[in-house]
Amino acid sequence: METFDIYRKTRFGALVHEYGLDGSRLLPWAGYPMPFGGGWCVVRPGTTTQTHTQIDQELFIAIEGSARLVIGDQQMPFSKGDIAAIPKHTHHYVINDSAEDFHFYVIWWDLNHVNNFLAQHNDTTGCLA
């Protein structure tokens, strides 16, 4: 039986700067097929992420700190424990005007990717067909 890593630590010293934040793409995870992607994101104090529009749908989960989240024409406070759904084709960005790092986790998916995943898997365990 093939074995896979079932535990790993986020390497905060190795975050990659993109979209105006520092992050690490954590999903998909090798050996664990899944129909979505995900990553840890850190918005540094006094910075704003790049305004962008995804073709995927996204879910943001605030982990630590506070910021302002802009989705379309709406701006809202966003802090630890908050969750936001970002519809596909909607511009969005994060403003961190606090003195602390703002951490959030992002999960993204799109229906085509989900349908391809389902077509390749024969049960709910994630085993390949």
Side-chain angles (χ1 to χ4, degrees), residues 53-88:
T53 303
Q54 293 290 119
I55 59 167
D56 304 326
Q57 297 181 125
E58 291 182 305
L59 188 68
F60 285 8
I61 304 166
I63 305 294
E64 182 179 326
S66 62
R68 287 182 288 141
L69 177 60
V70 179
I71 303 173
D73 296 329
Q74 298 181 44
Q75 187 175 129
M76 61 220 70
F78 197 54
S79 59
K80 183 178 180 177
D82 292 346
I83 300 171
I86 297 150
K88 66 191 215 171

Side-chain angles (χ1 to χ4, degrees), residues 14 19 26 42 45 47 49 52 58 61 69 73 76 78 84 99 109 116 118:
Y19 294 101
L26 302 174
V42 181
T47 66
T49 65
H52 65 283
E58 291 182 305
I61 304 166
L69 177 60
D73 296 329
M76 61 220 70
F78 197 54
W109 67 96
N116 288 338
L118 292 172

